[in-house]
Amino acid sequence: MACEMLPIPTASEYTMNSMNSDEILKIEALHVTFSTERGPVRAVNGVSLSLKRGEVLGVVGESGCGKTVTGRSIIRLLSEPQAQTPQGSIVYRPRIGEPVDVLKLEQFGKEMCHLRGKEIAMIFQEPMTSLTPVYTVGKQIMEKILTHADVDKAEARAQALELLKRVGISAPEQRIDEYPHQMSGGMRQRVMIAIALACDPQVLIADEPTTALDVTVQAQILALMRDLKSNMNSSILLITHDLGVIGEMADSVAVMYMGRVVEYADSVTLFTKPRHPYTRGLFRSIPLLTKNETSRLEPIAGTVPEPYAVPSGCPFRTRCPHAMPVCEKHDPPPVVTRDGGTVRCWLYNDTDPEGST
Ligand SMILES: Nc1ncnc2c1ncn2[C@@H]1O[C@H](COP(=O)(O)OP(=O)(O)O)[C@@H](O)[C@H]1O
Ligand SMILES: [Mg+2]
């Protein structure tokens, strides 16, 4: 009898099969490399993350660790010529139909354009670069509505007005006809959020949404996002370098260093029991209300290595106060902790996930 060959499952099939019903987005082994004159830059080097329905997942780490590139990979907006095609899988569960690996879709094909904006929306750090200076904010919100929904212009304008109210813009009837440069930074960020919400996305990727804003406006935008989370039951991937913002917003947290997730935990565990020396370093280096006021701030020793010269073994070892000989030779694999998180550090191992420190 002829032997029937079974098809070999692809990486994304494995991801889909391991996806729980409450997971809306699952990233597995994502690699993104930029080809530069000085050599390849592995901006994202094997990131795996899972976002659940209604969850705020914080992604935190120093500048340059790959947060933005991870976010832009999800909506397939890496269009620089140096960017090589992302490898791995990013499986998204749409409102209708089967889960889909967005990395398998054509970058500007119909399916991806539908997902980008209508199901997965992204807000960027600097609203002025994402808003068009030559159109009124009303026109920009309406354009998004008209692209994705079957409504006429009058209805789109009414919806745009409603969105401006919802994101807390005062006198929206006047503001709707203003240009971005007539607005403050905080108001522009609200407009960006209104555009992102125009199609009621299931997943919102917020990339440093408050970094460019002063502290008072920052608090208002965070309050708005908390509101959105509870009213919309949408899932938020919150990218920030600020652990304070994470503490206020996130249900769970992925800590990134040099293109990889070095620690993942629920927010309470991360704040009460950070495990990775890098995470602990981050906590020691920032002022937090929860910290004893007399404790001194200590910056993490050294600087992030050049992306062209990644150290052998554990990439954090050159700055780590606990570096051991094994760290130089071998890259630590992710270890599952008792709280259901993961940590990539030789201080912890399979037999004793709590480690010795
Ligand atoms: N277009 C590009 N060309 C070359 N390197 C890039 C490009 N975009 C990003 N990178 C590199 O990728 C790494 C991650 O960048 P990014 O995701 O923007 O960091 P983060 O958002 O965490 O600050 C950095 O080392 C950055 O220099
Ligand atoms: Mg960034």
Side-chain angles (χ1 to χ4, degrees):
M1 200 171 74
C3 181
E4 199 183 330
M5 291 284 281
L6 288 173
I8 299 167
T10 62
S12 40
E13 277 167 342
Y14 280 124
T15 311
M16 278 174 213
N17 293 340
S18 67
M19 213 168 172
N20 294 325
S21 57
D22 63 343
E23 284 175 317
I24 193 155
L25 187 73
K26 189 159 182 157
I27 304 178
E28 285 264 322
L30 178 68
H31 288 81
V32 183
T33 304
F34 291 94
S35 311
T36 72
E37 280 174 9
R38 294 185 61 191
V41 169
R42 291 186 210 292
V44 177
N45 194 2
V47 161
S48 298
L49 286 175
S50 148
L51 179 65
K52 297 187 185 71
R53 212 176 281 281
E55 176 189 44
V56 176
L57 170 62
V59 177
V60 70
E62 286 166 298
S63 174
C65 68
K67 305 181 295 295
T68 297
V69 172
T70 301
R72 285 166 63 211
S73 301
I74 300 168
I75 52 167
R76 300 292 309 280
L77 272 192
L78 286 170
S79 26
E80 298 96 322
Q82 314 93 302
Q84 295 174 9
T85 313
Q87 305 294 313
S89 64
I90 301 180
V91 176
Y92 169 69
R93 191 190 295 280
R95 279 200 181 88
I96 300 167
E98 294 298 308
V100 55
D101 182 354
V102 299
L103 295 185
K104 294 248 160 23
L105 301 180
E106 213 181 302
Q107 191 177 8
F108 296 105
K110 201 173 149 201
E111 222 176 326
M112 195 60 233
C113 289
H114 166 84
L115 293 183
R116 188 190 299 123
K118 188 155 171 67
E119 301 232 356
I120 310 173
M122 184 157 176
I123 48 178
F124 297 91
Q125 176 169 348
E126 184 31 75
M128 210 46 195
T129 53
S130 320
L131 291 169
T132 313
V134 294
Y135 294 127
T136 62
V137 297
K139 189 173 163 71
Q140 294 183 58
I141 304 173
M142 283 168 65
E143 191 180 282
K144 174 82 179 290
I145 297 168
L146 290 166
T147 314
H148 289 289
D150 187 18
V151 292
D152 63 14
K153 270 192 172 173
E155 172 59 23
R157 188 177 165 90
Q159 285 185 15
L161 209 53
E162 200 45 51
L163 279 163
L164 286 177
K165 271 190 210 149
R166 200 162 137 206
V167 297
I169 299 249
S170 52
E173 292 83 359
Q174 288 154 36
R175 295 289 187 186
I176 193 168
D177 294 317
E178 285 187 0
Y179 290 88
H181 72 265
Q182 294 172 280
M183 299 186 144
S184 66
M187 256 192 272
R188 287 198 288 261
Q189 192 57 288
R190 285 172 199 269
V191 170
M192 280 303 299
I193 296 175
I195 293 175
L197 298 181
C199 294
D200 207 8
Q202 289 212 97
V203 173
L204 182 65
I205 304 169
D207 189 3
E208 308 270 7
T210 58
T211 302
L213 308 173
D214 68 50
V215 180
T216 326
V217 185
Q218 184 169 341
Q220 292 168 358
I221 297 288
L222 290 182
L224 167 65
M225 289 188 37
R226 260 197 302 273
D227 232 40
L228 297 174
K229 183 201 157 192
S230 45
N231 295 338
M232 292 177 16
N233 197 33
S234 53
S235 315
I236 303 178
L237 190 75
L238 176 63
I239 296 174
T240 176
H241 66 278
D242 187 340
L243 269 172
V245 170
I246 293 283
E248 287 204 35
M249 298 285 299
D251 300 307
S252 44
V253 190
V255 181
M256 283 186 71
Y257 186 73
M258 294 202 78
R260 58 186 70 199
V261 175
V262 295
E263 180 160 9
Y264 166 81
D266 68 86
S267 202
V268 173
T269 303
L270 194 92
F271 276 73
T272 52
K273 203 175 175 188
R275 287 181 166 90
H276 199 286
Y278 177 62
T279 316
R280 294 186 196 170
L282 282 181
F283 275 113
R284 278 196 298 270
S285 66
I286 54 151
L288 276 179
L289 287 177
T290 47
K291 265 204 310 212
N292 180 348
E293 273 181 31
T294 56
S295 59
R296 275 195 313 134
L297 299 183
E298 283 173 54
I300 300 175
T303 50
V304 180
E306 286 276 334
Y308 319 97
V310 180
S312 62
C314 171
F316 186 60
R317 70 175 170 81
T318 52
R319 305 172 74 190
C320 182
H322 304 285
M324 304 173 278
V326 65
C327 309
E328 194 178 330
K329 291 203 188 80
H330 303 287
D331 193 9
V335 168
V336 176
T337 64
R338 263 182 224 161
D339 325 276
T342 56
V343 59
R344 290 184 75 157
C345 175
W346 285 118
L347 291 175
Y348 309 91
N349 59 52
D350 297 302
T351 49
D352 180 11
E354 295 302 296
S356 54
T357 58

